[in-house]
Amino acid sequence: KELIVRVADEFAGHILTLEEGDSAQPMVLQSPALALSASAGEGAGGEDTPFANPAFTTLYNICVQCFAKETYLPGLAAEFLELWVQLISFARNAVQREVEKEKLGLTLHGLSIFHDVQVLSESLAALRPSILAAVVDDFSSEHQGVQELVERTVKGAVEELNELHARLTSHFSSLISKQCVHALQPLLGVAQTYRLMPNKAPPVHPSYYVDSIFTPWKEFQRCVAIYS
């Protein structure tokens, strides 16, 4: 319960509470250097971390601690794995709620979560050998299903996060598409222009707005690259 509360507090502080106006911004226009210094590379305690958001750093560290020598109790693999699943499910649900409320915009906050969900999935999959090593003493006749339970739990957690990442991909793709379509608004006046000026010569160069059509997509790629 204490670990769940700790993760809940982190997600309340860094995921669920967005800065005012964050979700309303159409795209982050910060420089890559500023974004990197503000949100990636270091955890709250100054330690190196692959996560951009402190909440995901805390979640991952607790997942590791569940099966550390000083924490894990032999014979309680099922209970610790259940806690593991609850922690990950809590994080997944927290992010899903933000998507459903349309609070996750094309900002550094939103893109950091997009990045961290994928990294968390990969990191949890890599924990499988260390979890098996921690519960090796439970591999006895009465605990013969422990290894299968570990395999099933890790696989299930990774699949949950992969599904969430796919949903985030769809969510951001939709936002980007809407912005690209918005850049095509000048096309609505083309027909009217030629009706009013039937002798107007056809253009020989791209219209002024053509270069900006894919600007949202390019900006998204630039911001995602910050966390790569």
Side-chain angles (χ1 to χ4, degrees):
K1 289 183 179 179
E2 184 179 335
L3 292 177
I4 293 176
V5 169
R6 182 178 168 190
V7 169
D9 288 343
E10 283 290 334
F11 271 77
H14 297 289
I15 299 294
L16 303 180
T17 305
L18 301 179
E19 294 182 4
E20 184 176 356
D22 181 69
S23 59
Q25 297 299 320
M27 180 61 72
V28 176
L29 298 177
Q30 288 179 286
S31 69
L34 177 60
L36 277 171
S37 63
S39 58
E42 283 194 358
E47 72 278 9
D48 290 337
T49 171
F51 301 101
N53 196 294
F56 281 89
T57 299
T58 298
L59 174 60
Y60 176 73
N61 288 341
I62 290 177
C63 286
V64 172
Q65 290 172 16
C66 283
F67 293 93
K69 290 182 178 180
E70 62 272 18
T71 305
Y72 179 69
L73 300 174
L76 295 179
E79 286 75 8
F80 276 88
L81 286 169
E82 182 179 356
L83 171 62
W84 215 64
V85 170
Q86 289 176 345
L87 293 170
I88 296 165
S89 294
F90 180 90
R92 180 203 61 193
N93 293 337
V95 174
Q96 284 183 340
R97 283 194 297 270
E98 294 305 290
V99 174
E100 292 167 358
K101 294 177 183 177
E102 298 184 351
K103 287 187 175 181
L104 219 54
L106 288 166
T107 63
L108 282 178
H109 174 83
L111 295 180
S112 72
I113 295 175
F114 178 76
H115 165 271
D116 283 356
V117 168
Q118 182 177 18
V119 173
L120 181 61
S121 174
E122 296 169 351
S123 300
L124 293 182
L127 284 180
R128 176 184 158 276
S130 61
I131 295 175
L132 287 173
V135 303
V136 67
D137 292 336
D138 294 345
F139 294 166
S140 59
S141 57
E142 64 267 26
H143 298 109
Q144 58 184 350
V146 171
Q147 183 172 1
E148 290 80 2
L149 180 60
V150 171
E151 300 279 3
R152 188 168 62 251
T153 301
V154 173
K155 180 180 178 181
V158 170
E159 288 178 350
E160 277 190 30
L161 291 170
N162 287 343
E163 290 174 4
L164 176 59
H165 192 264
R167 183 171 183 181
L168 289 173
T169 299
S170 177
H171 171 70
F172 286 124
S173 295
S174 177
L175 294 179
I176 294 170
S177 297
K178 289 177 181 178
Q179 290 188 17
C180 290
V181 169
H182 182 73
L184 293 171
Q185 291 295 316
L187 280 175
L188 298 176
V190 172
Q192 183 178 3
T193 297
Y194 280 94
R195 278 198 298 268
L196 297 174
M197 305 172 63
N199 296 324
K200 180 179 175 64
V204 295
H205 300 291
S207 298
Y208 71 92
Y209 55 83
V210 171
D211 287 341
S212 66
I213 293 173
F214 290 104
T215 296
W217 169 244
K218 293 176 182 177
E219 183 67 10
F220 175 78
Q221 288 183 309
R222 181 185 69 81
C223 290
V224 169
I226 291 173
Y227 302 111
S228 299

